[in-house]
Amino acid sequence: MQAGGRGHTRWGIVLPFLALPVVALGVLIIGLFLWAWSDDDEARDGTRQGAAATVPCTEALAFGAAERPATARAHGCTVQRGIDTSYAAVLRMPREDVRGWLRETYPNAPKPRTGGGVCGALCLDVTHEDGLPGTAEAHVVQVRVEYENAETALVRFSAFTM
C-alpha cells in the first residue's frame, strides 16, 4: 500500500475548506461573548448605565409632576437610566402637611392607603390611568410615608417609566 493513497489526498484538500467556517464561527462566538461581558456600557453623561446618579431634587420631583413643599427638606435625589428611567427623592416634612401636599399634587388620584408592612404609615400609587397629571414624564409615581416622630414624616418619592 502506498503512503499517499487516493483517499488521503482528497481529505487533505477538503479538510481546510471544512475547517474554515468552523474557525470563523468560533471567532465570532468568542467575540460576541467578550463584547457582551465588556464594561464599556457608560452613558453619555459618564455614569454607568443602570447606576444611580445624583440629580437636583426639583428634577426628580418634576419627572413625577410634583414640586417640593415649602415646608419640606429634600435630599438623596437620584436618577437611574437603562431600559426605563427611574427618579427617587427623599423628603422630610411636617406630618400634618403630607396629606395636603399629596391632594394638591395629585388631585385626581385615589386616596392614600394606610397600614403597616411594606406600605409604612401612608402609601400612594398613581398612574396615568388613575390620576397622574399629563405633565408627568413618569408612567408611575409611588409615595411611601413613614412617621419618624410626632411631628416629622419621611417621604420616599419615586417616579419611573415602564
Side-chain angles (χ1 to χ4, degrees):
M1 184 170 198
Q2 294 180 333
R6 278 176 47 176
H8 182 69
T9 306
R10 194 175 311 146
W11 280 113
I13 294 171
V14 173
L15 272 178
F17 289 109
L18 292 176
L20 186 62
V22 172
V23 169
L25 184 62
V27 168
L28 181 65
I29 289 171
I30 290 170
L32 285 172
F33 178 78
L34 292 174
W35 174 76
W37 285 94
S38 72
D39 288 338
D40 203 21
D41 58 349
E42 293 200 6
R44 290 187 189 140
D45 63 358
T47 60
R48 288 182 51 89
Q49 188 153 351
T54 302
V55 294
C57 291
T58 54
E59 179 181 330
L61 293 167
F63 192 73
E67 293 181 4
R68 182 181 62 86
T71 57
R73 291 176 315 191
H75 60 91
C77 299
T78 60
V79 63
Q80 284 185 291
R81 290 186 176 95
I83 295 173
D84 298 312
T85 301
S86 176
Y87 280 88
V90 178
L91 306 167
R92 276 200 169 75
M93 60 191 296
R95 283 175 62 161
E96 64 210 24
D97 295 348
V98 173
R99 288 182 184 269
W101 174 67
L102 290 174
R103 248 188 329 272
E104 182 181 307
T105 304
Y106 303 111
N108 299 320
K111 290 187 182 249
R113 299 184 317 274
T114 59
V118 178
C119 182
L122 195 63
C123 291
L124 179 65
D125 297 320
V126 188
T127 65
H128 282 290
E129 290 80 27
D130 66 359
L132 192 61
T135 58
E137 294 179 61
H139 299 147
V140 178
V141 169
Q142 293 180 330
V143 180
R144 302 294 181 257
V145 181
E146 299 170 26
Y147 297 142
E148 291 188 318
N149 55 40
E151 294 98 28
T152 308
L154 179 71
V155 179
R156 296 183 193 283
F157 175 92
S158 64
F160 51 92
T161 58
M162 296 190 328

